Amino acid sequence: MSTKIGLFYGTQTGKTADVAEMLQKELGEDVVDLHDIALAQKEDLEAYEYLIIGSPTWNIGELQSDWEAFFPELDEIDFSGKKVAYFGVGDQMGYPDNFLDAMGILAEKISERGATRIGDWPTSGYEFNDSKALENGKFIGLGIDEDNQSDMTEARIKTWVDQIKKEFKV
Ligand SMILES: Cc1cc2nc3c(=O)[nH]c(=O)nc-3n(C[C@H](O)[C@H](O)[C@H](O)COP(=O)(O)O)c2cc1C
């Protein structure tokens, strides 16, 4: 089992890939392996005890298409004993009723398969109506909005990385 963190992301127009790279830089290139889910196999996820999962939301409340294609395979992975953190990329002004839904859809499935979730994130500083990524009044992972709040991305990443470092104990 690798002691590194496996970061798996999907992206349509590159924004989630950019955020994935920023997270890797902040956590350390020797600590994080980046994987585009479009090219990943289930064995790639199985190899890590610590995972970060990232997806933008597309088509009003849907997973990004490569995550959608991979989604049935999640049912074949045993996530018990794995710690998983999530980040979502979305547009709170354009899609206020479905902000970051994909992050919630992935976390629900992966938690169902036995994973321990880390990396909750406050909703203050965002304006939206509803999201599938909410639990007990918090986001279940980091929320990034490159369409409306790109100036906040760097600080959000820094704060979240400090937090998950402690929660992962890396
Ligand atoms: C047709 C369309 C539908 C979208 N639907 C949502 C949505 O339901 N919720 C959301 O938060 N963002 C939504 N977005 C915004 C994207 O998630 C956002 O632009 C994101 O940065 C794209 O990431 P990517 O470049 O990694 O694909 C949508 C964008 C488009 C163009």
Side-chain angles (χ1 to χ4, degrees), residues 10-17 55-62 64 89-92 94-101 144-147:
T11 191
Q12 215 63 27
T13 61
K15 288 176 182 148
T16 308
S55 180
T57 302
W58 275 91
N59 302 324
I60 314 180
E62 305 276 333
Q64 184 271 339
V89 182
D91 171 356
Q92 62 199 289
Y95 305 91
D97 297 322
N98 300 86
F99 183 45
L100 308 174
D101 274 3
I144 295 292
D145 184 341
E146 285 291 273
D147 294 287

